[in-house]
Amino acid sequence: MSRIKAVIFDFDGTILDTETAWYEAFREAYLEHEVELTLEMYGQCIGTSLHVFDPYAYIVEKKGLDAQQFRQDVHARHDKKMDQERIRPGVLAYLEEAARLGLRIGLASSSKRSWIDKYLSQLGVGYYFEAIRTAEDVSMVKPHPELYELAMRDLGVQPAEALAIEDSPNGARAAVAAGMHVIVTPNPVTRALIFDGEPRVFGSLAELSLAELIESLA
């Protein structure tokens, strides 16, 4: 049996698919101003901050738009789309199984804590997480490994004892840089992006149990 002692989840796109809704919201808003937002462009900011590509600033500068109004438009579109979203398949089963197996459970996200808390409350799964690390806790978000490093420190585990569950190239890079085991469960948007190396990819966590996955890592 593998020595896995902790499972650390990414949030956006992994636990709840907020990423597809963001891309669709931005793409629709861009098209209203006759600008195409390609997935190649938008993919640069998935799983990280907006320092590489800022989808707000790009079109505001390109078209001379009112920044606040454009932001409000995109957020309204995203909120409407998120009304239809549910926790991704297999996630709840993994949380329950991890708890049953006595594994430590953490969360490491490049998003802000208020964003994470909002959705964890709505999903009713916040109590599973012993450690939550977000953008406010680090100087650099993913793909830098600091978020995962802090979460592992909080849980008292070494990299070889921790499994990261990710959905994006930037997130997977962070987990690899932290020395962890990592699997990827892409969503409809991140499925089209290019991942470094050959990570283990699953359509969803419903494809195999956590115990089976851990056994395969041995």
Side-chain angles (χ1 to χ4, degrees):
M1 176 66 75
S2 168
R3 292 178 63 250
I4 296 297
K5 297 179 180 179
V7 181
I8 304 177
F9 290 78
D10 170 55
F11 182 76
D12 289 286
T14 300
I15 291 178
L16 184 68
D17 185 11
T18 59
E19 298 291 6
T20 299
W22 276 127
Y23 177 57
E24 291 177 349
F26 274 111
R27 188 169 184 274
E28 290 171 5
Y30 268 54
L31 287 175
E32 286 199 354
H33 299 284
E34 301 181 330
V35 177
E36 176 70 23
L37 177 64
T38 67
L39 185 53
E40 182 179 7
M41 293 167 62
Y42 184 74
Q44 298 174 84
C45 66
I46 294 178
T48 183
S49 66
L50 305 184
H51 66 286
V52 177
F53 175 73
D54 186 332
Y56 297 104
Y58 178 82
I59 193 169
V60 165
E61 294 171 4
K62 187 178 182 68
K63 289 291 187 175
L65 305 179
D66 179 276
Q68 183 176 357
Q69 184 175 348
F70 181 76
R71 181 178 290 269
Q72 289 174 345
D73 177 25
V74 171
H75 278 249
R77 293 172 187 270
H78 185 266
D79 288 344
K80 185 174 182 179
K81 294 177 185 297
M82 287 306 299
D83 286 342
Q84 310 302 318
E85 284 296 325
R86 300 293 181 266
I87 193 167
R88 289 194 68 196
V91 172
L92 183 57
Y94 263 49
L95 290 171
E96 293 172 343
E97 191 173 1
R100 188 167 63 251
L101 294 173
L103 303 180
R104 312 297 297 274
I105 306 173
L107 187 151
S109 170
S110 294
S111 294
K112 293 183 178 180
R113 183 62 187 256
S114 59
W115 174 265
I116 299 300
D117 287 344
K118 168 188 172 182
Y119 283 111
L120 289 182
S121 177
Q122 288 183 13
L123 296 172
V125 296
Y127 63 91
Y128 281 105
F129 299 97
E130 301 176 63
I132 297 177
R133 289 293 185 168
T134 58
E136 293 91 339
D137 297 317
V138 296
S139 57
M140 290 185 287
V141 295
K142 302 170 187 177
H144 193 276
E146 189 176 5
L147 280 163
Y148 277 119
E149 290 168 347
L150 288 179
M152 286 190 287
R153 188 188 70 185
D154 294 342
L155 297 174
V157 296
Q158 298 300 311
E161 301 170 330
L163 168 66
I165 300 178
E166 275 286 351
D167 75 296
S168 72
N170 281 317
R173 290 182 190 115
V176 170
M180 309 168 68
H181 300 276
V182 58
I183 66 164
V184 176
T185 59
N187 56 62
V189 167
T190 58
R191 191 173 296 128
L193 302 179
I194 298 173
F195 287 80
D196 299 340
E198 297 183 359
R200 294 192 65 179
V201 178
F202 299 93
S204 78
L205 296 181
E207 290 185 11
L208 78 171
S209 72
L210 178 57
E212 291 171 331
L213 174 59
I214 291 174
E215 182 65 29
S216 74
L217 298 175

